[in-house]
Amino acid sequence: MLIKKTADLRYSEVTPKSIYLNRRKFLAGVPAAFLGARELLAPSARAQAGAKLPDLVKSPFSTTEKANSYNDVTHYNNFYEFGTGKQQPAQNATNFKTSPWTVSIEGDVAKPRKFSIDEIMKLAPLEERIYRHRCVEAWSIVVPWAGYSLSVLLKQVEPGPKARYVAFESYWDLRQMPLARPELTGIALPYVEGLRLDEAMHPLALLCVGMYGEALPPQDGAPVRLVVPWKYGFKSIKSIVKIKLVASQPPTTWNLANAHEYGFYSNVNPQVDHPRWSQATERRLPSLFQNHPTQMFNGYASEVASLYAGMDLKKNY
Ligand SMILES: Nc1nc2c(c(=O)[nH]1)N[C@H]1C(S)=C(S)[C@@H](COP(=O)(O)O)O[C@H]1N2
Ligand SMILES: [Mo]
């Protein structure tokens, strides 16, 4: 007897025709994101939290240190727009609507424009980059991010002659983020960050759309964020909607909140303590203890130290 494998069977062969036709009619009204089959996916479904990212390219920038569990990285977050507690973003961001989504790139650029999240996801091959990620609060994690160098996106718009800094802005909408009020968070919103243009163009600076082989979950900054691995975590702004190339150093959220404690540069530096705690060691999650020495530039000194040649890193903290 000839037995067909399931994969060879057409749907019409195993389903009575009336049901088959009805199902087709029914499916026509279902958003493509629920259907599963790749061919049926609307383009933006690729960016939906949890969607698999096929064909990730391995990156030479990856650390060989052991990555944290997905649970560690998705249940210990700073994302003040969804609450200031570490467990709150996982609870409060579950319904964060990130489609449609556009990122506007403006300022001193030859070709200002808006990119849809689909355009961003397709601009370059997505790489898996396993980076150490060090929060200014002296805890750290190792995360397999997915994305490509931010420089790829910036080159698209052609930075102009006066562009010396890049300013970033996060999504902010009280209807989706009822806790995102300055009196509750203690920080001004929208969340803003900035890099010097040469820092932003450094290949390690990652425009990140995923982690663990999937599109970013909301609490980690869906659908697109920065990951700047040699700097404290707060420089890695989440859920970006605007990028502006500017002539002078832009305001940054934590510096606005407390300039004495949080500088513009915020390079990881075990020799420059936070005014209220040491930065010499870190707590690698899920440990409860300071169990790891902190490295200069978070271990990326050979790649990035030259960006700061001749600068006093105590002054420029
Ligand atoms: N918009 C926005 N981006 C943000 C934050 C935030 O509160 N809002 N927190 C920052 C801080 S302090 C850290 S440590 C990292 C945390 O990233 P993770 O939760 O994916 O580990 O996000 C950064 N980006
Ligand atoms: Mo942080």
Side-chain angles (χ1 to χ4, degrees):
M1 199 173 98
L2 205 145
I3 300 174
K4 276 192 175 184
K5 284 199 231 100
T6 331
D8 298 326
L9 288 172
R10 302 230 332 266
Y11 193 69
S12 56
E13 290 179 273
V14 293
T15 313
K17 190 135 195 206
S18 58
I19 298 180
Y20 166 61
L21 290 176
N22 268 330
R23 184 171 151 83
R24 286 211 333 190
K25 223 191 275 168
F26 170 71
L27 287 178
V30 174
F34 293 108
L35 295 180
R38 173 99 19 95
E39 317 79 65
L40 295 177
L41 288 181
S44 59
R46 272 193 81 196
Q48 288 300 314
K52 291 272 170 285
L53 299 175
D55 312 322
L56 284 185
V57 179
K58 295 236 174 307
S59 165
F61 292 126
S62 288
T63 171
T64 53
E65 281 176 61
K66 191 176 174 292
N68 276 86
S69 71
Y70 184 82
N71 192 64
D72 287 343
V73 179
T74 53
H75 290 81
Y76 196 86
N77 301 102
N78 277 331
F79 198 167
Y80 273 34
E81 291 89 328
F82 291 106
T84 57
K86 297 285 185 283
Q87 274 81 35
Q88 276 184 306
Q91 293 163 2
N92 296 337
T94 40
N95 295 323
F96 184 32
K97 193 173 169 293
T98 56
S99 171
W101 191 277
T102 54
V103 179
S104 169
I105 313 197
E106 47 201 73
D108 186 27
V109 294
K111 297 176 172 168
R113 60 168 279 204
K114 287 188 166 120
F115 289 83
S116 72
I117 190 62
D118 302 313
E119 290 171 319
I120 287 177
M121 299 209 46
K122 286 189 214 132
L123 213 52
L126 298 181
E127 299 167 28
E128 176 160 273
R129 294 205 192 166
I130 308 170
Y131 279 169
R132 284 178 294 276
H133 182 52
R134 171 59 158 81
C135 178
V136 74
E137 298 164 321
W139 52 269
S140 66
I141 46 181
V142 175
V143 188
W145 303 111
Y148 49 79
S149 296
L150 172 63
S151 65
V152 172
L153 181 65
L154 295 178
K155 281 177 192 159
Q156 290 281 315
V157 295
E158 297 176 16
K162 287 192 244 58
R164 287 186 57 226
Y165 293 86
V166 188
F168 303 88
E169 189 177 309
S170 289
Y171 182 90
W172 183 44
D173 183 351
L174 289 171
R175 283 166 302 181
Q176 284 222 71
M177 302 163 153
L179 299 179
R181 288 188 279 131
E183 65 271 28
L184 295 177
T185 58
I187 56 174
L189 292 165
Y191 196 98
V192 290
E193 256 306 333
L195 295 170
R196 235 171 40 196
L197 183 59
D198 60 340
E199 296 179 316
M201 296 301 282
H202 191 283
L204 273 179
L206 182 70
L207 189 73
C208 173
V209 295
M211 57 188 226
Y212 297 87
E214 297 177 358
L216 279 173
Q219 62 266 43
D220 287 278
V224 57
R225 66 174 297 172
L226 286 191
V227 181
V228 192
W230 69 95
K231 293 178 178 282
Y232 292 120
F234 65 83
K235 301 293 291 182
S236 294
I237 185 173
K238 294 176 170 179
S239 306
I240 298 168
V241 292
K242 192 167 35 169
I243 300 178
K244 190 169 182 182
L245 284 90
V246 294
S248 44
Q249 188 176 299
T252 58
T253 290
W254 280 100
N255 182 253
L256 290 171
N258 191 337
H260 175 62
E261 299 192 351
Y262 310 104
F264 176 81
Y265 282 94
S266 290
N267 292 314
V268 174
N269 190 338
Q271 285 141 36
V272 178
D273 286 339
H274 185 279
R276 291 183 281 135
W277 59 80
S278 166
Q279 295 291 25
T281 60
E282 63 202 54
R283 183 168 69 83
R284 176 66 52 83
L285 300 186
S287 175
L288 300 174
F289 305 102
Q290 298 300 111
N291 60 349
H292 241 75
T294 289
Q295 302 175 70
M296 188 66 200
F297 296 112
N298 201 25
Y300 300 98
S302 58
E303 288 89 351
V304 301
S306 60
L307 291 171
Y308 312 102
M311 274 176 69
D312 181 344
L313 297 177
K314 281 208 162 72
K315 249 190 220 151
N316 297 286
Y317 58 96

